[in-house]
Amino acid sequence: IDVTALTVEPNNCPLEDPLSLHIEFSASAPLDAPHWEIKYMVDMTAQRYIIELGKVQSPAYPAGPSVFEFSVPTIDVSGVKPNALNNTGLLLAVLYNQGSEVIQISMVTQIIKSGNGFVRNIFSPLE
């Protein structure tokens, strides 16, 4: 899999805001039973939080270029301790085919405390 374009929107916004992900990629072989898992991970020395944002069953992808789009209305971080949020996290988009991982796209997410909340800045691994 070769990821050719990746867009995450909005950015530089409250952590809990809606999230849209657009991934363009090229597969060297067809993927006949693909699905995606989108997660946000906060990893601290003593504790790891994984927030499941969604699982998407995709139609079969032919060899060659394809597109995946995903969106959620909010990122629910209510189960994460505030001191853990004020840290760098990872937005993960993992593509599976027939139950086996094909590619994991990791997007470093910088979180900065701002007033009573947190602001996210997600970095594309393509930049």
Side-chain angles (χ1 to χ4, degrees):
I1 299 290
D2 180 30
V3 177
T4 56
L6 187 145
T7 306
V8 182
E9 294 180 332
N11 219 352
N12 292 313
C13 62
L15 174 58
E16 298 89 350
D17 270 12
L19 175 80
S20 294
L21 184 60
H22 175 92
I23 301 171
E24 296 177 23
F25 63 95
S26 184
S28 58
L31 303 172
D32 55 353
H35 80 273
W36 290 85
E37 293 183 11
I38 312 301
K39 306 172 188 176
Y40 179 68
M41 182 174 67
V42 177
D43 196 5
M44 296 193 57
T45 304
Q47 196 159 15
R48 175 180 280 182
Y49 297 92
I50 298 177
I51 301 165
E52 302 281 344
L53 300 178
K55 293 182 180 180
V56 179
Q57 189 69 41
S58 296
Y61 293 124
S66 292
V67 173
F68 170 71
E69 294 185 316
F70 173 82
S71 64
V72 289
T74 189
I75 297 177
D76 182 6
V77 293
S78 60
V80 181
K81 295 178 184 175
N83 66 329
L85 289 174
N86 196 21
N87 198 351
T88 301
L90 281 176
L91 177 63
L92 304 170
V94 186
L95 172 62
Y96 295 87
N97 188 48
Q98 298 181 348
S100 297
E101 184 176 315
V102 175
I103 189 171
Q104 174 178 293
I105 304 166
S106 301
M107 294 153 272
V108 173
T109 306
Q110 179 183 29
I111 305 296
I112 299 171
K113 184 149 179 61
S114 176
N116 292 330
F118 297 92
V119 173
R120 72 177 186 230
N121 187 13
I122 301 170
F123 297 95
S124 169
L126 301 182
E127 295 175 359

